[in-house]
Amino acid sequence: MKQMNFPNRWCNWIEGVLCSARSSVLVNGSPTFEFNCEKGIRQGDPISPFLFLIVMEGLSSLIRMACDKGMFQGVRLNKDGHTISHLLYADDALVMGEWTQSNLNALKRILRIFHMCSGLRINLHKSNLFGIGKSMEDIDIGAIGMGCKPGAFPFKYLGIIVGANMNRISNWDSIVDIFKKRLSSWKASMVSMAGRVTFIKAVL
């Protein structure tokens, strides 16, 4: 936070929150003794999502720095266009780059440095490695080197099917089902037409 030019008062407040976090376990409805939270703030703390965004900005800065120094090669959109190296959404990170061993090694170093700086370790067992135009054998070898699972197309990311032919109506069925569950008939019958439009926009 100091590197991002937050005032010292803010930094001291957050440090106080992190150092004073204490929890207890409910056993048969009764709380046990309190203990310090060694992994940061309390579970469900409303400030947690904001602090997480600040931490992920640190990961984003590391990847950008590696790209600027030529250590990591992202995906170039066109000859004179921008290069995309990563996308972040809440607690999901999508890193994109050229399929080279040096890129995979650079990504491993970036994640290791991020862990050393923040104390947060990326769960590679829940991560997947995908290769466009690569054989499953190459993907398996790369996944073993990264310590993650090999992935195959199509796959779901944030509820959207990636790599499938989205011109086929059947590939949208899972998304339509989500809308049907959230826009159930009993909810629609209890609000006005303007309310229904607002509700649909909120779900979209």
Side-chain angles (χ1 to χ4, degrees), residues 76-91:
R76 188 176 297 277
L77 298 180
N78 50 50
K79 292 182 179 180
D80 301 323
H82 295 286
T83 299
I84 298 178
S85 58
H86 61 285
L87 296 172
L88 302 176
Y89 181 80
D91 60 346

Side-chain angles (χ1 to χ4, degrees), residues 37-75:
C37 298
E38 297 182 357
K39 292 294 183 181
I41 58 182
R42 303 172 186 85
Q43 180 74 23
D45 195 303
I47 203 172
S48 176
F50 300 103
L51 293 181
F52 190 83
L53 291 177
I54 294 175
V55 172
M56 294 307 289
E57 181 62 30
L59 176 61
S60 180
S61 299
L62 283 174
I63 299 175
R64 282 198 303 266
M65 187 183 303
C67 291
D68 293 339
K69 293 185 177 182
M71 299 171 57
F72 185 84
Q73 304 295 327
V75 177

